[in-house]
Amino acid sequence: MKNLLKRLFGDESSNYIKNITPIVASINALESEIALLADSDFAVETMKLKERLVNGETLDQVLPRAFALVREAAKRTLGERHYDVQLMGGIALHQGNIAEMKTGEGKTLVATLPAYLHALMGKGVHIVTVNDYLAKRDGERMGQVYSMLGLTVGIINDGEKSYLYDTTIPEPNSETDEIEQYKVLPEYLKPVSKKQAYQADITYGTNTQFGFDYLRDNMQTSIDGMVQREHYFALVDEVDSVLIDEARVPLIMSSQAEDSSEMYKQFAKLAKQLTKDTDYTIDEKDRAIQLTDIGIDRAEKFLNINDLYTSEHIGLIHHLETAVRAEALFSENKEYIIRDGEVLIVDQFTGRVLDGRRYQDGLHQALEAKAGVSIKPESKTAASITYQNYFKLYTVLSGMTGTAKTSEEEFFKVYGLAVIEIPTHRPIARIDHTDLIFQTARGKYTALARDVKKLYDAGQPVLIGTVSIEHNEIISSFLNNAGIKHE
C-alpha cells in the first residue's frame, strides 16, 4: 500500500524537487547575463543584493541571482559549474532542511550556495565540518569563490589556530616558488585571532570548536572577551554523525577542584580489600556496582566511623563507590593503559589511546590511585552543553550527508528538520545490495568469513569495519579458521 501511494502521489522528496524546479529554471535563465560580468563586478553585485535585502526584499527573492553569481564565480575560480541537482541541494539547505546527497555529488561545492545567500544578511554563517583538516581544506578552496564575490572567510582550527582567507598576500615570484608554496600550505591563509575569524562573513570549523568556543564565551566576564557573535545560520556536514550519533555527547569546560589525592589513595587501598558478591555486586550492563551491607560494614570499620550514611560522611560514599568501580570494572590494557606514569583512556570502539581525555567525577583519580601513579587534581564542571542543545541555538539549521533517510524521523522530532533526497546528476551505476539478517552471531561471522575468502582468493583487498576491539578479535578467529591471512 505504501509503495502504491508513493507511485500515485510521490514521496516528500520528489514533491519537493518538483516544487523547486521552477526556481532552478530561473537561476539558469540568468546564466548568460551573469557570464558577461567582469571579475571586478561580482563584489559590486554582492553589495546590490545586500541593498535589496535592506530595502525589504527577502532571501527567497534574491536567491536566483545570488545562486547564479555563485555558480559563475565557481566556474571562474575553481573550474567547476554547479549542476542543476546541486542547485536543488543548495535551495533545500537554504530553506533549513537536510540534503541527502550521494557520495561524490559535490556537497562541498553545494554548500557555497546557501552560505553565500545567508552571508548577505551580515549575521555570520557557520559551516561545520567533522575535523580540522576539512575545515582548512574547504575554507581555503571555497574561499576563492567567496573572495571573488567580495565576502570574507574565516577558519577555526584546534587551539588558537585561526585564519582568514586573504587574497592580498603577494603572489609567488616565480613558477617554481608557486609550485613549492602549493606543496606546503595555502598561501592565502593569514593567521588571525579567533575573534577575527568569527567576524568573517563565513566561518569554517568543527562542531567541537564551535561548541567549546560557545562555552568559553559564556565564562567570560566581559563582552570584549567573547569571540562568537549571534548564532544565525549553520550548515552541518555529515549531519547524521553530529546531530544524531554524537547529539548527546557533552562538551565540558572544567576548573580545578581542591586536592584530594590522599583520600583517593585511602579508598583505593580499601577497594582492594573488598570482594565481589560478598562486599559488592556488579551490574555488567550498566557498568555499575552496588555495595552490600557486609561491604558497608567493612568500609565503616576500615574508615573507623559508625555510620557512613550520615550527613557528616555522605561525601565519602561517592569516593567509596568510585574506588570500587575503578577496581572492579576497569582493567589495565583494556579500558586504560599506563604510559610515562599517566593513566590514559583506551577507546573501546577503536582501540586508540585518547590522549588528553580524562574520566569525570573522580573516576580518573581513582584509577590513578589504583595504578599507584601520581594523582592529578580533580576538576569540576564549570560549563557544559551537548551538540544537540548547541545547534538548536541557530535561527536556521541545515545539514548535508549521504545517509540521512534512516534517521529522518529523529531529525524531525528533535530538530524540526526535513530530509530531502536530492537526485544524482547521472544515474547510479553502483549496486546497493540489501542488508543480510542472521539468526545467530555465529551464522553471521561464518558467512562473513566465507565471503571474504572468495574476495581474498580473487586477489581483492578487503576492509572490515567493526564497532569494537572485541568484535575485531572474534572476526579474526573466524578468518584464521578459514585460512585467511589478515591484520
Side-chain angles (χ1 to χ4, degrees):
M1 176 61 74
K2 185 176 181 181
N3 290 333
L4 176 61
L5 291 173
K6 185 175 179 180
R7 286 198 300 270
L8 289 173
F9 303 107
D11 61 8
E12 182 181 358
S13 293
S14 60
N15 289 332
Y16 182 88
I17 296 301
K18 183 179 179 181
N19 290 333
I20 65 172
T21 298
I23 303 176
V24 174
S26 64
I27 298 168
N28 290 334
L30 292 168
E31 187 167 15
S32 57
E33 176 192 337
I34 301 296
L36 298 176
L37 295 174
D39 288 359
S40 57
D41 291 334
F42 282 79
V44 177
E45 288 289 326
T46 295
M47 294 304 299
K48 290 179 180 177
L49 291 178
K50 287 183 177 180
E51 288 176 9
R52 288 173 60 182
L53 292 172
V54 170
N55 292 331
E57 289 192 55
T58 65
L59 288 177
D60 286 334
Q61 289 174 307
V62 304
L63 184 150
R65 193 165 190 85
F67 276 30
L69 286 167
V70 176
R71 173 191 265 178
E72 184 63 27
K75 281 171 61 179
R76 298 190 189 188
T77 57
L78 305 177
E80 298 178 1
R81 176 186 178 276
H82 294 79
Y83 296 123
D84 285 1
V85 291
Q86 291 176 314
L87 298 179
M88 293 174 182
I91 296 169
L93 293 168
H94 148 63
Q95 295 181 348
N97 298 300
I98 292 173
E100 180 180 275
M101 302 182 70
K102 301 297 183 186
T103 302
E105 288 296 296
K107 291 190 287 291
T108 304
L109 186 64
V110 170
T112 58
L113 297 163
Y116 171 72
L117 179 63
H118 281 269
L120 297 173
M121 297 294 290
K123 299 179 181 180
V125 167
H126 293 170
I127 299 183
V128 185
T129 65
V130 293
N131 58 51
D132 284 338
Y133 165 75
L134 290 175
K136 185 180 284 188
R137 184 203 71 177
D138 295 352
E140 178 216 354
R141 182 163 171 74
M142 298 303 132
Q144 300 172 70
V145 180
Y146 301 125
S147 182
M148 186 175 187
L149 291 160
L151 298 183
T152 55
V153 179
I155 299 170
I156 307 292
N157 266 189
D158 188 31
E160 296 302 316
K161 297 176 183 175
S162 303
Y163 308 90
L164 272 181
Y165 184 86
D166 188 354
T167 55
T168 61
I169 300 173
E171 293 284 352
N173 294 323
S174 68
E175 186 176 340
T176 306
D177 289 343
E178 184 174 355
I179 293 171
E180 290 304 314
Q181 285 202 20
Y182 271 110
K183 283 181 182 176
V184 181
L185 194 67
E187 72 273 24
Y188 287 143
L189 293 190
K190 172 185 174 184
V192 295
S193 69
K194 188 171 282 188
K195 188 166 188 173
Q196 286 175 294
Y198 274 113
Q199 290 301 312
D201 296 305
I202 298 165
T203 304
Y204 283 81
T206 65
N207 49 322
T208 303
Q209 288 300 321
F210 285 122
F212 274 121
D213 286 341
Y214 171 76
L215 292 180
R216 292 187 190 98
D217 277 357
N218 278 273
M219 295 172 65
Q220 296 296 325
T221 56
S222 69
I223 295 177
D224 291 339
M226 300 173 70
V227 296
Q228 289 187 345
R229 43 182 174 154
E230 61 184 300
H231 296 83
Y232 167 58
F233 180 84
L235 198 168
V236 185
D237 194 12
E238 302 299 343
V239 67
D240 49 343
S241 174
V242 176
L243 296 189
I244 300 296
D245 299 343
E246 301 179 29
R248 299 193 179 184
V249 173
L251 299 173
I252 299 172
M253 294 292 292
S254 302
S255 60
Q256 191 168 304
E258 60 183 34
D259 184 17
S260 304
S261 55
E262 291 304 316
M263 182 81 75
Y264 284 109
K265 291 177 183 177
Q266 182 184 23
F267 278 94
K269 185 177 179 181
L270 169 58
K272 291 182 186 297
Q273 297 179 16
L274 302 180
T275 57
K276 179 183 173 183
D277 295 331
T278 302
D279 298 311
Y280 61 86
T281 57
I282 296 177
D283 184 334
E284 296 286 357
K285 182 181 178 182
D286 293 331
R287 290 189 63 75
I289 62 98
Q290 179 68 48
L291 293 166
T292 65
D293 290 340
I294 296 174
I296 294 170
D297 289 340
R298 184 170 294 181
E300 289 172 343
K301 289 178 182 177
F302 179 89
L303 298 169
N304 195 27
I305 57 178
N306 293 325
D307 189 353
L308 195 58
Y309 288 87
T310 61
S311 58
E312 181 184 358
H313 303 301
I314 197 71
L316 300 179
I317 298 172
H318 175 70
H319 277 285
L320 174 59
E321 292 180 342
T322 303
V324 175
R325 278 189 67 209
E327 180 66 31
L329 298 174
F330 291 79
S331 303
E332 186 179 349
N333 296 326
K334 186 179 179 184
E335 282 82 14
Y336 67 93
I337 64 169
I338 298 174
R339 182 200 295 163
D340 299 328
E342 284 191 67
V343 172
L344 302 176
I345 301 172
V346 174
D347 189 321
Q348 293 300 292
F349 295 108
T350 65
R352 293 174 181 161
V353 175
L354 303 176
D355 287 301
R357 293 274 294 274
R358 292 176 65 83
Y359 290 115
Q360 298 294 314
D361 297 325
L363 178 56
H364 212 95
Q365 285 75 14
L367 289 171
E368 289 169 333
K370 172 187 175 182
V373 300
S374 176
I375 301 174
K376 294 184 178 180
E378 187 177 354
S379 59
K380 60 182 179 181
T381 299
S384 177
I385 195 170
T386 61
Y387 288 124
Q388 183 182 106
N389 289 331
Y390 172 71
F391 284 106
K392 281 184 174 181
L393 297 172
Y394 286 87
T395 305
V396 183
L397 178 62
S398 63
M400 310 179 293
T401 182
T403 51
K405 268 294 177 181
T406 53
S407 304
E408 67 175 329
E409 185 177 351
E410 189 170 357
F411 276 126
F412 187 76
K413 283 184 176 179
V414 178
Y415 303 99
L417 295 171
V419 175
I420 306 299
E421 290 182 277
I422 306 299
T424 55
H425 176 59
R426 293 176 179 166
I428 297 176
R430 183 185 65 235
I431 299 172
D432 290 329
H433 295 288
T434 56
D435 292 340
L436 298 179
I437 310 298
F438 295 85
Q439 285 187 319
T440 65
R442 174 173 290 276
K444 177 177 71 170
Y445 293 131
T446 301
L448 172 64
R450 184 180 63 243
D451 288 350
V452 171
K453 183 95 166 74
K454 292 177 184 177
L455 298 170
Y456 179 79
D457 290 342
Q460 289 183 253
V462 180
L463 176 66
I464 302 174
T466 72
V467 296
S468 70
I469 301 170
E470 182 183 3
H471 283 80
N472 290 345
E473 293 170 347
I474 293 171
I475 292 173
S476 178
S477 66
F478 277 85
L479 296 180
N480 284 329
N481 291 337
I484 303 169
K485 291 182 180 179
H486 60 279
E487 293 182 358

